[in-house]
Amino acid sequence: MEYLLIFISAIFVNNIVLSQFLGICPFLGVSKKVDTALGMSAAVAFVLTLATIVTYLLQKFVLDAFGLQYLQTIAFILVIAALVQMVEIVMKKVSPALYQALGIFLPLITTNCAVLGVAILVIQKDYSLLESVVYAFSSAIGFGLSLIVFAGLREQLELVNVPKGMRGTAIVLVVAGLLSLAFMGFSGVDGGLKPLFGLE
């Protein structure tokens, strides 16, 4: 039941984008079309989960074992960069259309602070490997959910007559703020679920 709690909490309560404000760059940059948002979500989910597994093992069996914890950030960045390069090569071969649609934002996964943030958070929260994988995958789903919902809202904005002074970035930031407020409605859900699952 603890895994279910981590799953629900990471998607809704502590959403990586809307609650913790990690990964804002792709959230604003790749959310113009739902199709692109879906592709980006899949790429981030793959990289986020794989990066968390690799960085967790690196932390436990290399950095902790040899007392090199101070190299955590630089080691994690190098691992994430290598994984993104791998995803980029595979996507170019498998789906050239999606590769073209993502454009500059695919290499930006390397600097997507959501990927690095989750990798560091699982170490700080002292999760086991399985808990880390569940948390990483759940965070990726939360990232994808917020990105796709936001892309849908932005597509609808194209059909609306927005006042001249609010067009462009202004209305996008207002909608992002309202979406963040909507997700705040889930705060406290994880606290209410703990007694229900007998975790308190």
Side-chain angles (χ1 to χ4, degrees):
M1 287 301 177
E2 195 174 327
Y3 297 113
L4 183 63
L5 190 64
I6 291 170
F7 185 77
I8 292 168
S9 179
I11 295 173
F12 300 109
V13 182
N14 296 315
N15 185 286
I16 202 78
V17 180
L18 301 172
S19 295
Q20 300 185 51
F21 306 110
L22 296 170
I24 296 291
C25 178
F27 178 70
L28 294 174
V30 195
S31 57
K32 289 180 182 173
K33 301 256 180 243
V34 172
D35 295 342
T36 316
L38 277 166
M40 184 64 164
S41 301
V44 167
F46 177 73
V47 171
L48 192 61
T49 309
L50 196 58
T52 302
I53 295 168
V54 175
T55 54
Y56 180 89
L57 296 172
L58 179 71
Q59 179 74 35
K60 296 296 177 188
F61 296 108
V62 178
L63 300 181
D64 286 351
F66 296 102
L68 300 170
Q69 291 91 340
Y70 60 91
L71 290 174
Q72 184 190 61
T73 306
I74 191 77
F76 284 15
I77 288 170
L78 289 171
V79 167
I80 292 163
L83 286 171
V84 171
Q85 287 301 311
M86 188 180 76
V87 170
E88 198 171 347
I89 291 164
V90 169
M91 195 174 282
K92 198 173 185 178
K93 294 280 184 196
V94 175
S95 179
L98 183 59
Y99 177 79
Q100 288 293 328
L102 290 174
I104 189 69
F105 294 103
L106 188 59
L108 279 179
I109 295 176
T110 311
T111 55
N112 184 349
C113 52
V115 180
L116 181 62
V118 169
I120 291 171
L121 280 170
V122 296
I123 303 299
Q124 288 177 348
K125 290 173 185 275
D126 202 26
Y127 282 155
S128 67
L129 181 59
L130 188 56
E131 286 173 334
S132 299
V133 172
V134 170
Y135 180 75
F137 186 67
S138 307
S139 296
I141 291 173
F143 177 86
L145 176 70
S146 56
L147 189 64
I148 291 160
V149 168
F150 191 53
L153 291 169
R154 285 186 73 174
E155 281 188 358
Q156 290 298 313
L157 278 176
E158 298 294 322
L159 309 172
V160 178
N161 186 19
V162 179
K164 197 172 181 181
M166 288 295 290
R167 285 179 195 158
T169 308
I171 192 68
V172 168
L173 291 174
V174 168
V175 170
L178 290 172
L179 188 59
S180 184
L181 282 171
F183 269 73
M184 276 181 68
F186 293 111
S187 61
V189 169
D190 56 341
L193 289 175
K194 279 181 183 177
L196 188 66
F197 295 139
L199 295 172
E200 272 190 342

